[in-house]
Amino acid sequence: MKQTQTIAAARDLETTRGKLARNIMRWAPEQGLQESALEGVGLIRSDEATSCVSSVYEPSLGFIVQGSKTLQLGDKEISYGPLSYLASSVHLPVLGEVKEASPEHPFLAVRLIIDPQEVTDLVIELGDKAPEMQAEFDCPEISCGLCVAQMNKGMLEAVSRLVGLLDTPADAPILAPLARREIIYRALMGEMGARMRKFAVVDSQANRISRVIAVLKDRFSEPLRVSDLADQANMSESSLYHSFKQVTRMSPLQFQKKLRLHEARRLMLSEGLEAASASYRVGYESPSHFSREYSRMFGAPPRADVNKLRGEQRVPA
């Protein structure tokens, strides 16, 4: 009897996954990230495996429906495949590579941008009802800003309902917020929930680091003084450095550099700035220094990289 129930549950899960995959393919007919009509919901499709692509993840949940990919955050590599999802608790510069995809079986994913306040509100409402962190995920104070878990039936159905609202736009204004809330709730109640809550609790070490990251994101073009960041977070410089590296897998200076280079790339691609102008705009004093660091990060000098991007559609990391 138990084996029969397990087979039936697996069949139900696959039926829901298949329905969601077909919906994504209808609403994402081309490769790349396609923003949907639902606020904060993006659909990702790739018909082939990709090389590493650099991007900055926002606070979000990413659900893989088909295919697999690998992310590189600093010195940490994270792999996840079908029916798994990833939580990004803060803004993080990453390298991403689609590993399994083909025209017959494309990589398909759903990205849901999360307002940290949504998480905080639910954490407060849940109180002590949310499960404690499991022993294997325990860490002294803080954990990496990216973590992966498997989708259960409830989570998969909630994501499927959210994407399904693209077919009934008249229902979306009322039902989409409910589906979003259910998805966040299920993430908080799941195996990565304790990690997510660490970033939502105001007086936690993780939340202090998330505030520091917000400052760096807004002021990345300014000279970096770790002492000023430590004062804002009410932490010692050594504690800030250690905790920041646990969350981002890089130092504050490395984090700032990646943000600068991503913004310079955007300025050249979207606003047509020359490399020298973009380098000054993001805080570099030497265009040649900028060009060297840009080439190390993106694999080509600024002009060559931007020309290549303009000539092809890139699948996001």
Side-chain angles (χ1 to χ4, degrees):
M1 175 65 75
K2 186 175 182 180
Q3 184 179 7
T4 302
Q5 291 175 336
T6 301
I7 293 173
R11 189 182 298 117
D12 287 346
L13 204 64
E14 177 58 25
T15 297
T16 304
R17 189 204 64 79
K19 177 182 177 182
L20 177 55
R22 289 189 295 274
N23 250 350
I24 294 172
M25 291 182 70
R26 282 198 303 109
W27 290 102
E30 299 179 354
Q31 294 194 76
L33 169 64
Q34 295 163 67
E35 298 296 345
S36 77
L38 302 173
E39 184 177 359
V41 179
L43 305 177
I44 301 170
R45 172 176 179 167
S46 177
D47 292 343
E48 58 188 1
T50 68
S51 57
C52 283
V53 178
S54 181
S55 66
V56 178
Y57 273 21
E58 300 177 65
S60 59
L61 294 170
F63 306 89
I64 290 191
V65 180
Q66 193 166 277
S68 66
K69 73 186 304 183
T70 298
L71 295 177
Q72 189 79 35
L73 175 64
D75 61 357
K76 182 173 183 177
E77 184 174 280
I78 300 171
S79 297
Y80 63 131
L83 297 183
S84 62
Y85 67 105
L86 178 137
S88 174
S89 301
V90 289
H91 285 82
L92 293 169
V94 302
L95 289 171
E97 182 178 3
V98 173
K99 305 294 285 188
E100 295 181 31
S102 68
E104 299 76 26
H105 197 78
F107 172 85
L108 301 171
V110 179
R111 185 200 65 182
L112 179 62
I113 299 297
I114 300 296
D115 182 347
Q117 190 60 47
E118 292 179 281
V119 180
T120 301
D121 291 344
L122 261 177
V123 167
I124 293 171
E125 189 171 336
L126 286 170
D128 58 3
K129 295 177 183 177
E132 293 298 320
M133 180 177 287
Q134 298 177 18
E136 62 265 32
F137 292 117
D138 255 331
C139 54
E141 264 301 321
I142 204 168
S143 57
C144 174
L146 290 179
C147 49
V148 176
Q150 286 297 118
M151 283 192 272
N152 58 23
K153 180 182 178 182
M155 175 69 85
L156 181 60
E157 288 178 342
V159 175
S160 185
R161 281 196 298 275
L162 179 62
V163 175
L165 289 172
L166 291 170
D167 292 319
T168 56
D171 297 333
I174 301 300
L175 298 182
L178 299 178
R180 287 178 60 92
R181 182 176 170 84
E182 180 183 354
I183 290 168
I184 298 171
Y185 165 78
R186 292 190 179 279
L188 285 170
M189 295 299 287
E191 61 185 83
M192 70 168 67
R195 286 188 177 193
M196 292 175 63
R197 292 198 305 278
K198 285 181 179 293
F199 289 88
V201 177
V202 175
D203 61 349
S204 71
Q205 196 91 318
N207 185 267
R208 292 176 186 175
I209 296 302
S210 70
R211 296 201 301 270
V212 169
I213 289 173
V215 170
L216 282 172
K217 180 177 176 291
D218 291 339
R219 299 166 55 187
F220 62 84
S221 62
E222 301 176 15
L224 175 64
R225 290 175 57 90
V226 176
S227 59
D228 292 341
L229 295 175
D231 288 343
Q232 291 191 37
N234 195 25
M235 301 168 69
S236 68
E237 288 186 43
S238 61
S239 178
L240 169 66
Y241 186 90
H242 176 70
S243 297
F244 191 95
K245 199 157 188 178
Q246 280 188 298
V247 172
T248 68
R249 314 300 289 194
M250 64 192 81
S251 69
L253 184 61
Q254 290 171 322
F255 188 93
Q256 181 195 44
K257 179 172 69 175
K258 287 181 182 292
L259 291 182
R260 282 181 168 183
L261 293 172
H262 273 288
E263 176 61 11
R265 194 188 209 192
R266 187 195 68 80
L267 290 171
M268 290 185 290
L269 188 62
S270 303
E271 299 184 20
L273 266 64
E274 293 294 327
S277 299
S279 70
Y280 291 131
R281 180 85 70 89
V282 300
Y284 279 88
E285 296 181 358
S286 165
S288 60
H289 181 211
F290 163 76
S291 183
R292 287 194 300 272
E293 293 200 332
Y294 190 102
S295 297
R296 279 197 294 268
M297 181 165 172
F298 295 116
R303 178 175 291 182
D305 177 62
V306 170
N307 287 340
K308 181 181 178 182
L309 287 175
R310 285 175 176 154
E312 65 182 39
Q313 185 174 23
R314 299 295 293 262
V315 177

